[in-house]
Amino acid sequence: MLLQQLVNGLTLGAVYTLVALGFSLVMGVLGILNLAVAELFMLGGYVGLTLMLDGQPLLVGLGAAALFTGLLGVVVERVAYQPLRNAPPIAPLLSTLGFSVIFQTVATNVWGSDPLLLPPELMDGRYQLGSISVGQAQLVVMATAVGMVAVLALVMRHTRFGYGLRAIAENRDVARLLGVPAPLVTSGAFALSGAMAGVAGVLIGLHYGALTPFVGVEVGLKAIAVMVVGGTTSIWGVLLAGPLLGVLEVMTVAFGGAAFRDMTVYGLMILTLLLRPQGLLGRAGGAQRV
Amino acid sequence: MISSYAAGLLAEIGIASIAALSVYVILAVGQLSLGNAAFMACGAYTASVLTVEHGVPIPLAIAAGAVVSGVLGLVVGFPALRLRGIYLAMATLGFGEMTRSFFLSLDATGGAAGYSGMQRLSLGGIWAWVLPLLALVLLAERSRLWLALNAVRDDETAARLLGLNTVALKLGAFSAAAALAGIAGGLFAHWHIFIEPGAFNLDRSTEMVLAVVLGGSTIALGPVFGAAALALAPEALRFIADWRLAAFGAVLIVILLLRPQGIIDKRLLRALKP
Amino acid sequence: MSLLSLTGVTCRFGGITALNNLTLDLPQGAITGVIGPNGAGKTTLFNCITGAYRPSEGEIRLRGESLVGLAPHRIARLGVARTFQNIRLFPSMTVWEHLMVVQRGGGLRAALAPLGLSGAAPRRRAEQALERFGLAPFRDRLATTLPYGVMRRVELARALTAEPSLLLLDEPVAGMNHEEAASLATLLHGLVAEGLTLLLIEHDMGFVEQLCQQVHVLDFGTLIASGTPAEVRRIPAVIDAYLGVEG
């Protein structure tokens, strides 16, 4: 029972991790909270699953979701962030909130507010490992998440783009002086952030076997808590916090009751903000960037 | 006599105005709250339980709801002193969701099934609260105290070094805002005579922020105008019924880009004067 | 009689000692100057007096009452006001609002009264400040949109509306032309004649000599000399540390 919950929690945690990385890419580099990430997560799910229901293979679904939400991420950046980049950070927070509202309405109108149900025969394989049963969907979710994180890590460490991102996160002005093309790298960060969220959306659909237009608010926003707990400037922290909060949430539901689910996750976020604003693994001073 | 439909709209506008003013008051010290629906919930549930279970007269119950919310605002405000900007926005978002799940799990008030049994307030009863509160905020924002709040928003360090008690000012703003939201909640409960945790979700908090950003964040008439616009827009936008929320989102972005202080500000009011 | 006295004030940040065992007295009703090269600890001294920093060691007393550990707003209420090296005006406020915002007195009711109706005393104080600092033509302008010299005057006027007994001025004539500086000097003399005590940080030695009875020289956080401007000028250590460098 406990182990089974652990597996379920890790699956959810894998999804949280990806969305949280989506938030964190923009937050850590530019110091702003892109609320639209939560709805890109939802949209990515719809795009990917619609294709898969149409008979396309998983990889096509994931790729299309990533491409679609990655592009939308750039749209958000161009419209809601660029013109406001010198305004107080609350302004882009509100403008991305505007995009959230738009995306949610679009999804409700295109796909309806009733859940989009996946046919039970889609990824219904189960593997028995001792006393735990792991679904095929769960394996796909975790493997994809690990793959995405690996890709992100490679990009961050070994590409000019990743170098530029880290340089801008460190100091935007110095980065410019060093010849980092800030506007391009910024767009890249939004694109990558959107793509991570979009892929995660497909995964949450596979995990739950269903999708609603509200999954962005219900699941996506919790990734903010994951990002905060892990540390807004620390990718490694998010990798730790994602599975941690996923497991914690599933355990809370299993042993405390569903009603306490959000309280645990958000409670941990608030505690972190108050007691350790730099997060589990973040560097001190993270919260100073206001 | 106005139709019950028009009455419903007017009541909505009144309640939403007070709720929007609660965001406005916190914004006066430069803080954005994405969780004011929580204070509204607290006021709504407190007032409802008092009228339904204890037979307390409605006005008294609503006032009690305001006090309870105000105290909660103070309690929340203390830790919130350490946070600002985006970090406070995230914390208030979390607080709002936590409060919603708290009422979801509270069986005493019906949990997810909601709570009912309240007496209905008349439209006049709603506006008997709204008008004085609006007048109060309109007067308060012309005071020295309000200037002090704005000083905290503009430059907290300088304000403190110039002799302003920034801690008290921030806590006061938080608490007053919570009390306002609490009153909005009490009115909401006694107008709809049914409340459920889902009524006080992130969408509600967002709506309050939307009203302020839309209408104007530098003068109290702005949020009231914004709240009215949001309540009336479904009428005006009937032809795009299903898409009107998207229209709000788009308008919000356009406003932020073109007129970040909102539609109504002092200069506009001056220009409108004959 | 001294208004403010510092005894053995030391202020450290990590390994850096910004102020080292500083002892000095400010006579009531005098203008005292603090000079020293950049990074000598002058602004740190101001920050310790106004409570922005808490000194690591030592005692700061205003009329015998200890200021150490008090919140900045409490220190301000005891009668200490200041201006800032890089002007810090409130971007959303008009000149008039700057002259109202830090005023005190009258309790909550007075504070809550609409500005137009608020008690006669605060308004009179603000009117006087407008007059005295030549700000009347700018009354309803946003303060941060005004010329530099005017902004300096707004800052000074704002500090005075709190009716302090001690005013700390951080480089008050920086960026001012000769004429503006001269008129400021006249103004400050007038304030002192009314009983205000001034402590000012300044780079402009001409201004210091014109104004200050007493000068303290800081270098690397340590007080290296004190005396009248003329005396201080002749001390070799001062010439090395500061005057020599400036040419």
Side-chain angles (χ1 to χ4, degrees), chain A residues 140-225:
Chain A
V140 166
V141 169
M142 285 195 259
T144 310
V146 170
M148 288 295 286
V149 170
V151 168
L152 180 70
L154 282 176
V155 167
M156 292 302 275
R157 296 208 157 201
H158 298 290
T159 65
R160 284 182 58 84
F161 167 70
Y163 163 78
L165 264 185
R166 282 183 291 148
I168 292 177
E170 210 61 53
N171 187 323
R172 196 179 176 85
D173 296 329
V174 174
R176 268 175 191 276
L177 289 176
L178 290 174
V180 174
L184 208 64
V185 174
T186 306
S187 298
F190 273 83
L192 196 56
S193 145
M196 301 286 283
V199 167
V202 180
L203 299 183
I204 197 74
L206 292 178
H207 178 48
Y208 286 157
L211 206 61
T212 75
F214 314 111
V215 75
V217 179
E218 284 160 8
V219 180
L221 283 181
K222 273 191 229 156
I224 294 179

Side-chain angles (χ1 to χ4, degrees), chain A residues 27 31-33 35 79-80 83-84 89-91 93-99 101-102 104-106 109-110 217 221 224 227-228 232 259-264 266-270 273-275 277 286-290, chain B residues 27 30-32 34 79-80 82-105 202-203 206 209-210 213 242-253 256-257 260:
Chain A
M27 179 90 169
I32 67 148
L33 184 64
L35 280 175
V79 178
L84 294 170
I90 282 180
L93 176 93
L94 289 170
S95 59
T96 57
L97 183 69
F99 265 108
V101 177
I102 296 177
Q104 213 185 84
T105 315
V106 168
N109 280 304
V110 174
V217 179
L221 283 181
I224 294 179
M227 170 184 70
V228 168
T232 50
F260 296 102
R261 186 173 67 182
D262 295 357
M263 271 198 247
T264 325
Y266 286 115
L268 205 60
M269 172 181 87
I270 291 176
L273 280 172
L274 295 176
L275 302 179
Q288 298 305 313
R289 194 195 336 240
V290 181
Chain B
L27 214 53
Q31 306 277 37
L32 177 72
L34 289 178
R82 304 182 52 171
L83 304 171
R84 48 177 95 178
I86 291 177
Y87 292 87
L88 186 85
M90 292 193 293
T92 51
L93 187 155
F95 167 70
E97 289 299 288
M98 281 176 76
T99 308
R100 194 177 52 83
S101 18
F102 169 77
F103 282 113
L104 267 179
S105 62
L202 183 64
D203 282 352
T206 306
V209 174
L210 213 61
V213 177
D242 294 342
W243 295 89
R244 59 165 212 282
L245 273 174
F248 287 161
V251 169
L252 173 66
I253 295 170
L256 281 164
L257 296 182

Side-chain angles (χ1 to χ4, degrees), chain A residues 30 44 54 65 88 117 159 187 194 232-233 252:
Chain A
L30 304 166
D54 215 38
L117 295 173
T159 65
S187 298
T232 50
T233 55
T252 313

Side-chain angles (χ1 to χ4, degrees), chain B residues 1-8 10 123:
Chain B
M1 217 30 225
I2 50 173
S3 69
S4 69
Y5 176 73
L10 283 174
L123 178 63

Side-chain angles (χ1 to χ4, degrees), chain C residues 80-101:
Chain C
V80 181
R82 74 177 286 176
T83 64
F84 300 90
Q85 188 179 343
N86 40 353
I87 302 177
R88 292 181 90 155
L89 294 173
F90 301 119
S92 72
M93 291 187 203
T94 64
V95 170
W96 174 254
E97 288 168 338
H98 274 90
L99 301 182
M100 294 297 282
V101 65

Side-chain angles (χ1 to χ4, degrees), chain C residues 24-77:
Chain C
L24 53 85
D25 278 307
L26 292 194
Q28 169 103 47
I31 307 182
T32 308
V34 177
I35 61 172
N38 284 326
K42 304 184 299 287
T43 298
T44 306
L45 170 65
F46 271 25
N47 283 335
C48 281
I49 296 173
T50 55
Y53 302 153
R54 189 190 174 125
S56 320
E57 283 162 39
E59 188 54 83
I60 302 174
R61 287 178 185 279
L62 183 77
R63 287 189 215 89
E65 191 171 343
S66 175
L67 301 184
V68 174
L70 291 186
H73 72 269
R74 304 214 49 102
I75 294 177
R77 281 176 199 186

